[in-house]
Amino acid sequence: MTHSQAARDIDTSRPHSARMYDYYLGGKDHFEVDKQAAERVAEAYPAIFVCARENRAFMHRATRVLAREHGIRQWLDIGTGIPTEPNLHQVAQSVVPDARVVYADNDPLVLKYAERLMRSSAEGRTTYLEADVNDPESLLSAPELAEVLDLGRPVALSLNALMHFVTDAQDPYGIVRRLLDALPSGSALALSHCTPDFDAATWQKVTDIYTTAGTPVQFRSREDVARFFDGLELLDPGIAVGHRWRPDATEGDAPTDAEVSLWTGVGIKP
């Protein structure tokens, strides 16, 4: 699909989760319908902007930790979303210039802006492929992936704020297991996932808004999020609220757990 084809395929008649997330982050790559839906979420859950920001910050920290402390040089980032700098490859290549990153998403709007994801360091490589996490076989067999990643060497599987868009009926745990099965020992899973654990009533409202907009969601408990890491060796501090996973030294007041409402973790495949 060309970028012009992608632009024609963008459905602006109803909100899209990636464009709503762009709005939460203060981006400009969304439409009025996305803004309206995002503002309905913000009315129910005013801290959605905090949640989105902390999700992004977790991705940055997890990427740096895997690069610096665990020798990871390859990433497979699924559910990439609309590019927002610094993107994952920029964070990774700031630590290890030869890092290689494959981005995957099934949103035509992400494809439209994919050139932002291709600005690799001279030593490293990046690419983007159109793929759906619900079809892991097609994703793993994509020639673009094989051109950039060596699946014989450790790969970090990055699933940030993605799996709550995969309901139990779609076999989320089976999908993650299939992806991890394709990766060798020493690979990693970095995952973040919204949760109703701290304010169930509010998150039910958020669920209703997304479902009404045509995007089924399933926000999960800490116990259910931990299941994604079965068989992996969790890095300290284990499954933690986003801002509590290896926080950087910051000034000012930290957000509350209820504001963040995001379980995060990083595990290494034995």
Side-chain angles (χ1 to χ4, degrees), residues 88-165:
L88 189 152
H89 74 279
Q90 294 167 312
V91 176
Q93 290 175 352
S94 71
V95 181
V96 284
D98 61 339
R100 293 173 167 242
V101 179
V102 171
Y103 293 104
D105 205 292
N106 67 341
D107 180 11
L109 189 64
V110 180
L111 177 60
K112 180 183 175 187
Y113 292 106
E115 66 270 13
R116 295 186 195 170
L117 302 173
M118 305 303 183
R119 297 170 187 168
S120 172
S121 65
E123 302 93 332
R125 284 193 67 183
T126 66
T127 194
Y128 173 84
L129 61 94
E130 185 181 15
D132 192 324
V133 71
N134 291 294
D135 187 1
E137 299 299 335
S138 293
L139 194 158
L140 291 167
S141 62
E144 298 95 330
L145 186 147
E147 290 171 3
V148 173
L149 300 185
D150 175 1
L151 297 188
R153 300 171 55 214
V155 176
L157 174 63
S158 181
L159 303 175
N160 288 293
L162 173 66
M163 297 310 295
H164 46 241
F165 294 112

Coordinates of all heavy atoms in Angstrom, one line a residue, residues 88-165:
L88 N 10.6 4.9 19.7 CA 11.4 3.9 20.3 C 12.8 3.7 19.7 O 13.8 3.6 20.5 CB 10.7 2.5 20.2 CG 11.2 1.3 21.0 CD1 10.1 0.4 21.4 CD2 12.3 0.6 20.3
H89 N 12.9 3.8 18.4 CA 14.3 3.6 17.8 C 15.2 4.7 18.2 O 16.4 4.5 18.3 CB 14.2 3.4 16.3 CG 13.9 4.7 15.5 ND1 12.6 5.2 15.4 CD2 14.7 5.6 14.9 CE1 12.6 6.3 14.7 NE2 13.9 6.5 14.4
Q90 N 14.7 5.9 18.4 CA 15.5 7.1 18.8 C 16.0 6.9 20.2 O 17.2 7.2 20.5 CB 14.7 8.4 18.7 CG 14.4 8.7 17.2 CD 13.3 9.8 17.1 OE1 12.3 9.8 17.8 NE2 13.6 10.8 16.3
V91 N 15.2 6.3 21.1 CA 15.6 6.0 22.5 C 16.6 4.9 22.5 O 17.7 5.1 23.1 CB 14.4 5.6 23.3 CG1 14.8 5.3 24.7 CG2 13.4 6.8 23.4
A92 N 16.4 3.8 21.7 CA 17.3 2.7 21.7 C 18.6 3.1 21.1 O 19.7 2.8 21.6 CB 16.7 1.6 20.9
Q93 N 18.6 3.8 20.0 CA 19.8 4.2 19.3 C 20.6 5.3 20.0 O 21.8 5.4 19.8 CB 19.5 4.6 17.8 CG 19.1 3.4 17.0 CD 18.6 3.8 15.6 OE1 18.5 5.0 15.3 NE2 18.4 2.8 14.8
S94 N 20.0 6.0 20.9 CA 20.7 6.9 21.8 C 21.6 6.2 22.8 O 22.6 6.7 23.3 CB 19.8 7.8 22.5 OG 19.1 7.2 23.6
V95 N 21.3 4.9 23.0 CA 22.1 4.1 23.9 C 23.0 3.2 23.1 O 24.2 3.0 23.4 CB 21.1 3.2 24.9 CG1 22.0 2.4 25.8 CG2 20.2 4.1 25.6
V96 N 22.4 2.5 22.1 CA 23.2 1.6 21.3 C 22.9 2.0 19.8 O 21.9 1.7 19.3 CB 22.8 0.1 21.5 CG1 23.4 -0.4 22.8 CG2 21.3 -0.1 21.6
P97 N 23.8 2.7 19.2 CA 23.6 3.3 17.8 C 23.2 2.2 16.8 O 22.6 2.5 15.8 CB 24.9 4.0 17.5 CG 25.4 4.4 18.8 CD 25.1 3.2 19.7
D98 N 23.6 0.9 17.0 CA 23.4 -0.1 16.0 C 22.0 -0.8 16.2 O 21.8 -1.9 15.6 CB 24.5 -1.1 16.0 CG 24.7 -1.9 17.3 OD1 24.2 -1.3 18.3 OD2 25.3 -2.9 17.3
A99 N 21.2 -0.3 17.1 CA 19.9 -0.9 17.4 C 19.0 -1.0 16.1 O 19.0 -0.1 15.3 CB 19.1 -0.1 18.4
R100 N 18.3 -2.1 16.0 CA 17.4 -2.4 14.9 C 16.0 -2.5 15.4 O 15.7 -3.2 16.4 CB 17.8 -3.7 14.1 CG 19.1 -3.5 13.4 CD 19.6 -4.9 12.9 NE 20.7 -4.6 11.9 CZ 20.7 -4.9 10.6 NH1 19.6 -5.5 10.1 NH2 21.8 -4.7 9.9
V101 N 15.1 -1.8 14.7 CA 13.7 -1.8 15.2 C 12.7 -2.0 14.1 O 12.8 -1.4 13.0 CB 13.3 -0.4 15.9 CG1 11.9 -0.4 16.3 CG2 14.3 -0.1 17.0
V102 N 11.8 -2.9 14.3 CA 10.7 -3.1 13.3 C 9.4 -2.6 14.0 O 9.0 -3.1 15.1 CB 10.5 -4.6 12.9 CG1 9.2 -4.8 12.2 CG2 11.7 -5.1 12.1
Y103 N 8.7 -1.7 13.4 CA 7.4 -1.2 13.9 C 6.3 -1.9 13.1 O 6.4 -2.1 11.9 CB 7.3 0.3 13.6 CG 8.3 1.2 14.4 CD1 9.4 1.7 13.9 CD2 8.0 1.4 15.8 CE1 10.3 2.6 14.6 CE2 8.9 2.3 16.5 CZ 10.0 2.8 15.9 OH 10.8 3.6 16.7
A104 N 5.2 -2.2 13.8 CA 4.1 -2.8 13.1 C 2.8 -2.2 13.7 O 2.6 -2.0 14.9 CB 4.1 -4.3 13.4
D105 N 1.9 -1.9 12.7 CA 0.6 -1.4 13.1 C -0.4 -1.7 12.0 O 0.1 -1.9 10.8 CB 0.7 0.1 13.4 CG -0.5 0.6 14.3 OD1 -1.6 0.6 13.9 OD2 -0.2 1.0 15.4
N106 N -1.7 -1.7 12.3 CA -2.7 -1.9 11.2 C -3.5 -0.7 10.9 O -4.5 -0.8 10.2 CB -3.6 -3.1 11.6 CG -4.5 -2.7 12.8 OD1 -4.2 -1.8 13.6 ND2 -5.6 -3.5 13.0
D107 N -3.1 0.5 11.3 CA -3.8 1.7 11.1 C -3.2 2.4 9.9 O -2.1 2.8 9.9 CB -3.7 2.6 12.3 CG -4.5 3.9 12.1 OD1 -5.2 4.0 11.2 OD2 -4.3 4.8 13.0
P108 N -4.0 2.7 8.9 CA -3.5 3.4 7.7 C -2.9 4.7 8.0 O -2.0 5.2 7.3 CB -4.8 3.5 6.8 CG -5.7 2.4 7.2 CD -5.4 2.3 8.7
L109 N -3.4 5.4 9.0 CA -2.8 6.7 9.4 C -1.4 6.6 9.8 O -0.5 7.4 9.5 CB -3.6 7.4 10.4 CG -3.3 8.9 10.7 CD1 -3.5 9.7 9.5 CD2 -4.0 9.4 11.9
V110 N -1.1 5.5 10.5 CA 0.3 5.2 11.0 C 1.2 5.0 9.7 O 2.3 5.6 9.7 CB 0.4 4.0 11.9 CG1 1.9 3.8 12.3 CG2 -0.5 4.2 13.1
L111 N 0.7 4.3 8.8 CA 1.5 4.1 7.5 C 1.7 5.4 6.8 O 2.8 5.7 6.3 CB 0.7 3.2 6.6 CG 1.3 2.9 5.2 CD1 2.7 2.3 5.3 CD2 0.4 2.0 4.4
K112 N 0.8 6.3 6.9 CA 0.9 7.6 6.2 C 2.1 8.4 6.8 O 2.8 9.1 6.1 CB -0.4 8.5 6.4 CG -0.3 9.8 5.8 CD -1.6 10.6 6.1 CE -1.5 12.0 5.5 NZ -2.6 12.9 5.9
Y113 N 2.3 8.2 8.1 CA 3.4 9.0 8.8 C 4.6 8.1 9.0 O 5.5 8.4 9.8 CB 2.9 9.5 10.1 CG 1.9 10.6 9.9 CD1 0.6 10.4 10.2 CD2 2.3 11.9 9.4 CE1 -0.4 11.4 10.0 CE2 1.4 12.9 9.3 CZ 0.0 12.7 9.5 OH -0.9 13.7 9.3
A114 N 4.7 6.9 8.4 CA 5.7 5.9 8.7 C 7.1 6.5 8.4 O 8.1 6.0 9.0 CB 5.5 4.6 7.9
E115 N 7.3 7.4 7.5 CA 8.6 7.9 7.2 C 9.3 8.5 8.4 O 10.5 8.5 8.6 CB 8.6 9.0 6.1 CG 7.9 10.3 6.4 CD 6.4 10.2 6.1 OE1 5.9 9.1 5.8 OE2 5.8 11.3 6.1
R116 N 8.5 8.9 9.4 CA 9.1 9.4 10.7 C 9.8 8.3 11.4 O 10.7 8.6 12.2 CB 8.0 10.0 11.6 CG 7.3 11.2 11.0 CD 6.4 11.8 12.1 NE 5.4 12.7 11.6 CZ 4.4 13.2 12.3 NH1 4.2 12.7 13.5 NH2 3.5 14.0 11.8
L117 N 9.3 7.1 11.2 CA 9.9 5.9 11.9 C 11.1 5.3 11.2 O 11.7 4.4 11.6 CB 8.8 4.8 12.0 CG 7.5 5.2 12.7 CD1 6.5 4.1 12.6 CD2 7.8 5.6 14.2
M118 N 11.5 5.9 10.0 CA 12.5 5.3 9.2 C 13.9 6.1 9.4 O 14.8 5.8 8.7 CB 12.2 5.4 7.7 CG 10.8 4.7 7.4 SD 10.8 3.0 8.0 CE 9.2 2.5 7.4
R119 N 13.9 7.1 10.2 CA 15.1 8.0 10.3 C 16.0 7.3 11.3 O 16.3 7.8 12.4 CB 14.7 9.4 10.7 CG 13.8 10.1 9.7 CD 13.2 11.3 10.2 NE 12.2 11.9 9.2 CZ 11.4 12.9 9.5 NH1 11.3 13.4 10.7 NH2 10.5 13.3 8.6
S120 N 16.6 6.3 10.9 CA 17.5 5.5 11.7 C 18.9 6.1 11.8 O 19.3 7.0 11.0 CB 17.7 4.1 11.2 OG 18.7 3.3 11.9
S121 N 19.7 5.7 12.8 CA 21.1 6.1 12.9 C 21.8 5.4 11.7 O 21.2 4.4 11.2 CB 21.7 5.6 14.2 OG 21.7 4.2 14.3
A122 N 22.9 5.8 11.4 CA 23.7 5.2 10.3 C 24.0 3.8 10.6 O 24.1 2.9 9.7 CB 25.0 6.0 10.0
E123 N 24.3 3.5 11.9 CA 24.7 2.1 12.3 C 23.5 1.2 12.4 O 23.7 -0.1 12.2 CB 25.4 2.2 13.6 CG 26.6 3.1 13.6 CD 26.3 4.5 14.1 OE1 25.2 5.0 13.9 OE2 27.2 5.1 14.7
G124 N 22.3 1.7 12.7 CA 21.2 0.8 12.9 C 20.3 0.7 11.7 O 20.6 1.2 10.6
R125 N 19.1 0.1 11.9 CA 18.1 0.0 10.9 C 16.7 0.1 11.5 O 16.5 -0.4 12.6 CB 18.2 -1.3 10.1 CG 19.4 -1.3 9.1 CD 19.3 -2.5 8.1 NE 18.1 -2.3 7.2 CZ 17.8 -3.3 6.3 NH1 18.5 -4.4 6.2 NH2 16.7 -3.1 5.6
T126 N 15.8 0.6 10.8 CA 14.4 0.6 11.2 C 13.5 0.3 9.9 O 13.9 0.6 8.8 CB 13.9 1.9 11.8 OG1 13.9 2.9 10.8 CG2 14.7 2.3 12.9
T127 N 12.3 -0.3 10.2 CA 11.4 -0.4 9.1 C 10.0 -0.5 9.7 O 9.8 -0.6 10.9 CB 11.6 -1.7 8.3 OG1 10.9 -1.6 7.1 CG2 11.2 -3.0 9.0
Y128 N 9.0 -0.3 8.9 CA 7.6 -0.3 9.3 C 6.8 -1.3 8.4 O 7.1 -1.4 7.2 CB 7.0 1.0 9.1 CG 5.5 1.0 9.4 CD1 5.0 1.1 10.7 CD2 4.6 0.9 8.4 CE1 3.6 1.1 10.9 CE2 3.2 0.8 8.6 CZ 2.7 0.9 9.9 OH 1.4 0.9 10.1
L129 N 6.0 -2.1 9.1 CA 5.2 -3.1 8.3 C 3.7 -3.0 8.7 O 3.4 -2.7 9.9 CB 5.7 -4.5 8.4 CG 5.7 -5.2 9.7 CD1 4.5 -6.0 10.0 CD2 6.9 -6.1 9.8
E130 N 2.8 -3.1 7.8 CA 1.4 -3.1 8.1 C 1.0 -4.5 8.5 O 1.1 -5.5 7.8 CB 0.6 -2.7 6.9 CG -0.9 -2.5 7.2 CD -1.7 -2.2 5.9 OE1 -1.2 -2.3 4.8 OE2 -2.9 -1.8 6.1
A131 N 0.6 -4.6 9.8 CA 0.3 -6.0 10.3 C -0.6 -5.8 11.5 O -0.7 -4.7 12.1 CB 1.6 -6.7 10.7
D132 N -1.3 -6.9 11.9 CA -2.3 -6.9 13.0 C -1.8 -7.9 14.0 O -1.5 -9.1 13.7 CB -3.7 -7.3 12.4 CG -4.8 -7.1 13.4 OD1 -4.6 -7.3 14.6 OD2 -5.9 -6.7 13.0
V133 N -1.8 -7.5 15.3 CA -1.3 -8.4 16.3 C -2.2 -9.6 16.4 O -1.8 -10.7 16.9 CB -1.3 -7.6 17.7 CG1 -2.7 -7.4 18.2 CG2 -0.5 -8.4 18.7
N134 N -3.5 -9.5 15.9 CA -4.3 -10.7 16.0 C -4.0 -11.8 14.9 O -4.6 -12.8 14.9 CB -5.8 -10.3 15.7 CG -6.3 -9.5 16.9 OD1 -6.5 -10.0 18.0 ND2 -6.6 -8.2 16.7
D135 N -3.0 -11.5 14.1 CA -2.5 -12.4 13.1 C -1.0 -12.5 13.2 O -0.2 -12.1 12.4 CB -2.9 -12.0 11.7 CG -2.6 -13.0 10.6 OD1 -2.1 -14.1 11.0 OD2 -2.8 -12.7 9.4
P136 N -0.5 -13.1 14.3 CA 0.9 -13.2 14.6 C 1.7 -13.9 13.5 O 2.9 -13.6 13.3 CB 1.0 -13.8 16.0 CG -0.3 -14.6 16.1 CD -1.3 -13.8 15.4
E137 N 1.1 -14.9 12.9 CA 1.8 -15.7 11.9 C 2.2 -14.8 10.7 O 3.3 -14.8 10.2 CB 1.0 -16.9 11.4 CG 0.6 -17.9 12.5 CD 1.8 -18.5 13.1 OE1 2.8 -18.6 12.5 OE2 1.6 -18.9 14.3
S138 N 1.3 -14.0 10.2 CA 1.6 -13.1 9.1 C 2.6 -12.1 9.5 O 3.5 -11.7 8.7 CB 0.3 -12.4 8.6 OG -0.6 -13.3 8.0
L139 N 2.5 -11.6 10.7 CA 3.5 -10.6 11.2 C 4.9 -11.2 11.2 O 5.8 -10.6 10.7 CB 3.0 -10.1 12.6 CG 3.7 -8.8 13.1 CD1 2.8 -8.3 14.2 CD2 5.0 -9.1 13.7
L140 N 5.0 -12.4 11.8 CA 6.3 -13.0 11.9 C 6.9 -13.4 10.6 O 8.2 -13.5 10.5 CB 6.2 -14.2 12.9 CG 5.9 -13.8 14.4 CD1 5.5 -15.1 15.1 CD2 7.1 -13.2 15.0
S141 N 6.1 -13.7 9.6 CA 6.6 -14.1 8.3 C 6.8 -13.0 7.3 O 7.2 -13.2 6.2 CB 5.7 -15.2 7.7 OG 4.4 -14.6 7.5
A142 N 6.5 -11.8 7.8 CA 6.6 -10.6 6.8 C 8.1 -10.5 6.4 O 9.0 -10.5 7.2 CB 6.2 -9.3 7.5
P143 N 8.3 -10.3 5.1 CA 9.7 -10.1 4.6 C 10.4 -8.9 5.2 O 11.6 -8.9 5.4 CB 9.5 -10.0 3.1 CG 8.1 -9.7 2.8 CD 7.3 -10.3 4.0
E144 N 9.6 -7.8 5.5 CA 10.2 -6.6 6.1 C 10.9 -6.9 7.4 O 11.9 -6.4 7.8 CB 9.2 -5.5 6.2 CG 8.5 -5.0 4.9 CD 7.2 -5.7 4.7 OE1 7.1 -6.9 5.1 OE2 6.4 -5.1 4.0
L145 N 10.2 -7.8 8.2 CA 10.8 -8.2 9.5 C 12.1 -9.0 9.3 O 13.1 -8.7 10.0 CB 9.7 -9.0 10.3 CG 10.1 -9.4 11.7 CD1 8.8 -9.4 12.6 CD2 10.8 -10.7 11.8
A146 N 12.1 -9.9 8.4 CA 13.3 -10.7 8.2 C 14.5 -9.9 7.7 O 15.6 -10.3 7.9 CB 13.0 -11.9 7.2
E147 N 14.2 -8.8 7.0 CA 15.2 -8.0 6.4 C 16.0 -7.2 7.5 O 17.1 -6.8 7.4 CB 14.7 -7.0 5.4 CG 14.2 -7.7 4.1 CD 13.5 -6.7 3.2 OE1 13.4 -5.5 3.6 OE2 13.0 -7.2 2.1
V148 N 15.3 -7.0 8.6 CA 15.9 -6.1 9.7 C 16.2 -6.9 10.9 O 17.3 -6.6 11.6 CB 14.9 -4.9 10.0 CG1 15.4 -4.1 11.2 CG2 14.7 -4.1 8.8
L149 N 15.4 -7.8 11.3 CA 15.7 -8.5 12.6 C 16.2 -9.9 12.3 O 15.8 -10.6 11.4 CB 14.4 -8.7 13.4 CG 13.7 -7.4 13.8 CD1 12.5 -7.7 14.7 CD2 14.6 -6.4 14.5
D150 N 17.2 -10.3 13.2 CA 17.7 -11.7 13.2 C 17.1 -12.4 14.4 O 17.4 -12.2 15.5 CB 19.2 -11.6 13.4 CG 19.9 -13.0 13.5 OD1 19.1 -14.0 13.4 OD2 21.1 -13.1 13.7
L151 N 16.1 -13.3 14.1 CA 15.4 -14.0 15.1 C 16.2 -15.0 15.8 O 15.7 -15.7 16.7 CB 14.1 -14.5 14.6 CG 13.0 -13.5 14.0 CD1 11.7 -14.2 13.7 CD2 12.8 -12.4 15.0
G152 N 17.4 -15.2 15.4 CA 18.3 -16.1 16.1 C 19.0 -15.4 17.3 O 19.7 -16.0 18.0
R153 N 18.8 -14.1 17.4 CA 19.4 -13.3 18.4 C 18.3 -12.6 19.2 O 17.2 -12.4 18.7 CB 20.4 -12.2 17.8 CG 21.5 -12.8 17.1 CD 22.3 -11.7 16.3 NE 22.7 -10.7 17.2 CZ 22.8 -9.4 16.9 NH1 22.4 -9.0 15.7 NH2 23.2 -8.5 17.8
P154 N 18.6 -12.2 20.5 CA 17.5 -11.7 21.3 C 16.8 -10.5 20.7 O 17.4 -9.6 20.1 CB 18.2 -11.3 22.6 CG 19.4 -12.3 22.7 CD 19.8 -12.4 21.2
V155 N 15.5 -10.5 20.9 CA 14.6 -9.4 20.4 C 13.7 -9.0 21.6 O 13.2 -9.8 22.3 CB 13.7 -9.9 19.3 CG1 12.8 -8.8 18.9 CG2 14.6 -10.3 18.1
A156 N 13.5 -7.7 21.8 CA 12.6 -7.2 22.7 C 11.2 -7.0 22.0 O 11.1 -6.2 21.1 CB 13.0 -5.8 23.3
L157 N 10.2 -7.7 22.5 CA 8.8 -7.5 22.0 C 8.2 -6.4 22.8 O 8.0 -6.5 24.1 CB 8.1 -8.8 22.2 CG 6.6 -8.8 21.8 CD1 6.4 -8.5 20.4 CD2 6.0 -10.2 22.2
S158 N 7.8 -5.3 22.2 CA 7.3 -4.2 22.9 C 5.8 -4.1 22.5 O 5.4 -3.9 21.4 CB 8.0 -2.9 22.4 OG 7.5 -1.7 23.0
L159 N 5.0 -4.2 23.6 CA 3.5 -4.1 23.5 C 3.0 -3.1 24.4 O 2.5 -3.4 25.5 CB 2.9 -5.5 23.8 CG 3.4 -6.7 23.0 CD1 2.8 -8.0 23.5 CD2 3.1 -6.5 21.5
N160 N 3.0 -1.8 24.0 CA 2.6 -0.7 24.9 C 1.2 -0.3 24.6 O 0.9 0.1 23.5 CB 3.6 0.4 24.7 CG 5.0 0.2 25.2 OD1 5.1 0.1 26.5 ND2 6.0 0.0 24.4
A161 N 0.4 -0.4 25.7 CA -1.0 0.0 25.6 C -1.7 -0.6 24.4 O -2.5 0.1 23.7 CB -1.1 1.6 25.6
L162 N -1.4 -1.8 24.2 CA -2.0 -2.6 23.0 C -3.0 -3.6 23.4 O -4.1 -3.8 22.9 CB -0.9 -3.2 22.1 CG -1.3 -4.1 21.0 CD1 -2.1 -3.3 20.0 CD2 -0.2 -4.8 20.4
M163 N -2.6 -4.5 24.4 CA -3.3 -5.7 24.6 C -4.7 -5.5 25.2 O -5.5 -6.4 25.2 CB -2.5 -6.7 25.5 CG -1.2 -7.1 24.8 SD -1.4 -7.8 23.1 CE -2.4 -9.2 23.3
H164 N -5.0 -4.3 25.8 CA -6.3 -4.0 26.2 C -7.3 -3.8 25.0 O -8.5 -3.8 25.3 CB -6.4 -2.9 27.2 CG -5.7 -1.7 26.9 ND1 -4.7 -1.2 27.6 CD2 -5.8 -0.8 25.8 CE1 -4.2 -0.1 27.1 NE2 -4.9 0.2 26.0
F165 N -6.7 -3.7 23.8 CA -7.6 -3.7 22.6 C -7.8 -5.1 22.1 O -8.4 -5.3 21.0 CB -7.0 -2.8 21.6 CG -7.0 -1.3 22.0 CD1 -5.8 -0.7 22.2 CD2 -8.2 -0.6 22.1 CE1 -5.8 0.6 22.6 CE2 -8.2 0.7 22.5 CZ -7.0 1.3 22.8

